[in-house]
């Protein structure tokens, strides 16, 4: 289900993990890879297509995966962009059953200033978050190791950051079993 306003969110009866990140970072593709379903979460090459908070019930009503609107560039008016980005922020601040947010970062670009702003917001709201590097298949293994180390160093003193950084590839399946394990652990399943 998708929600365009806070009053449209489902009950807080299931644990949730949320996927956040810049527009076009690969949130929907990663959700599809984690669930093993190619077309569960719709994806697009056009930045800013996710304009609502999308919920996916996993297993036998065990948990929800949440696809949040991307931040950064989007092909929409400033008013529309602000509306769906504020919805994502409101969700993160006001969801008592949110067990962890996964902040997706394109491994080819590393942490950008806009990502640092998102991390500061997570820290201020005391929302536990973990950095997931996407599109790791586009780099050489040594480059992936380097971006993981640089990212690890940047989050070391952030109060709400989970200490493990995972490198993933939705296309090749790299890091997907480890991400599934992180979700299970976060939700205490």
């Amino acid at each position: 289900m998708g929600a365009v306003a806070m009053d449209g969110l489902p009950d807080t009866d299931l644990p949730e993990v949320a996927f956040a990140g810049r527009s076009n970072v690969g949130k929907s593709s990663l959700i599809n890879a984690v669930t093993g379903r190619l077309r569960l979460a719709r994806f697009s090459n056009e930045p800013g297509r996710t304009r609502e908070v999308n919920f996916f019930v996993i297993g036998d009503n065990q948990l929800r995966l949440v696809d949040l609107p991307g931040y950064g560039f989007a092909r929409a008016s400033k008013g529309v962009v602000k509306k769906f980005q504020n919805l994502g922020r409101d969700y993160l601040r006001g969801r008592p059953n949110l067990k962890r947010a996964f902040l997706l970062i394109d491994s080819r670009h590393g942490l950008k200033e806009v990502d640092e702003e998102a991390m500061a917001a997570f820290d201020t709201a005391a929302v536990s978050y973990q950095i997931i590097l996407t599109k790791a298949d586009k780099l050489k293994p040594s480059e992936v190791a380097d971006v993981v180390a640089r990212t690890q160093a940047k989050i070391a003193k952030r109060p709400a950051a989970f200490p493990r950084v995972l490198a993933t590839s939705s296309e090749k399946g790299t890091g997907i079993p480890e991400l599934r394990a992180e979700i299970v652990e976060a939700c205490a399943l």
Side-chain angles (χ1 to χ4, degrees):
M1 77 166 276
V4 295
M6 289 298 287
D7 59 4
L9 300 181
D11 289 335
T12 58
D13 56 340
L14 294 177
E16 294 173 353
V17 294
F19 293 82
R22 289 192 311 263
S23 296
N24 228 25
V25 75
K27 291 183 302 297
S28 298
S29 296
L30 191 64
I31 288 171
N32 290 338
V34 165
T35 62
R37 295 186 54 196
L38 293 176
R39 291 180 174 79
L40 179 66
R42 289 177 291 180
F43 57 90
S44 169
N45 289 329
E46 182 182 328
R49 289 298 282 167
T50 303
R51 297 181 182 186
E52 57 190 17
V53 177
N54 292 305
F55 295 86
F56 305 96
V57 177
I58 304 301
D60 189 23
N61 276 336
Q62 292 182 297
L63 73 126
R64 286 188 200 98
L65 301 183
V66 183
D67 186 5
L68 296 173
Y71 55 83
F73 178 77
R75 289 194 176 124
S77 70
K78 288 184 181 182
V80 169
V81 170
K82 187 174 183 176
K83 181 180 176 185
F84 65 76
Q85 289 179 347
N86 284 341
L87 174 62
R89 285 187 198 100
D90 291 344
Y91 166 83
L92 290 168
R93 281 193 298 257
R95 204 67 178 159
N97 57 326
L98 177 62
K99 302 304 181 186
R100 187 173 303 158
F102 293 103
L103 181 58
L104 279 54
I105 305 296
D106 188 322
S107 62
R108 300 170 298 177
H109 308 297
L111 290 170
K112 299 286 186 191
E113 186 176 330
V114 70
D115 300 314
E116 300 269 355
E117 292 168 11
M119 291 188 303
F122 285 134
D123 291 338
T124 300
V127 172
S128 174
Y129 64 96
Q130 184 171 2
I131 303 293
I132 306 297
L133 299 171
T134 62
K135 306 178 184 184
D137 59 303
K138 309 292 185 200
L139 299 174
K140 295 176 187 171
S142 62
E143 293 171 322
V144 172
D146 183 50
V147 73
V148 167
R150 283 194 324 263
T151 305
Q152 197 82 44
K154 285 188 174 185
I155 66 165
K157 294 188 179 181
R158 292 204 164 267
F162 194 77
R164 262 189 308 269
V165 173
L166 292 180
T168 65
S169 166
S170 299
E171 195 172 300
K172 304 284 186 190
T174 307
I176 301 303
E178 293 84 352
L179 179 53
R180 287 179 184 139
E182 293 288 350
I183 291 168
V184 167
E185 180 183 313
C187 294
L189 298 175

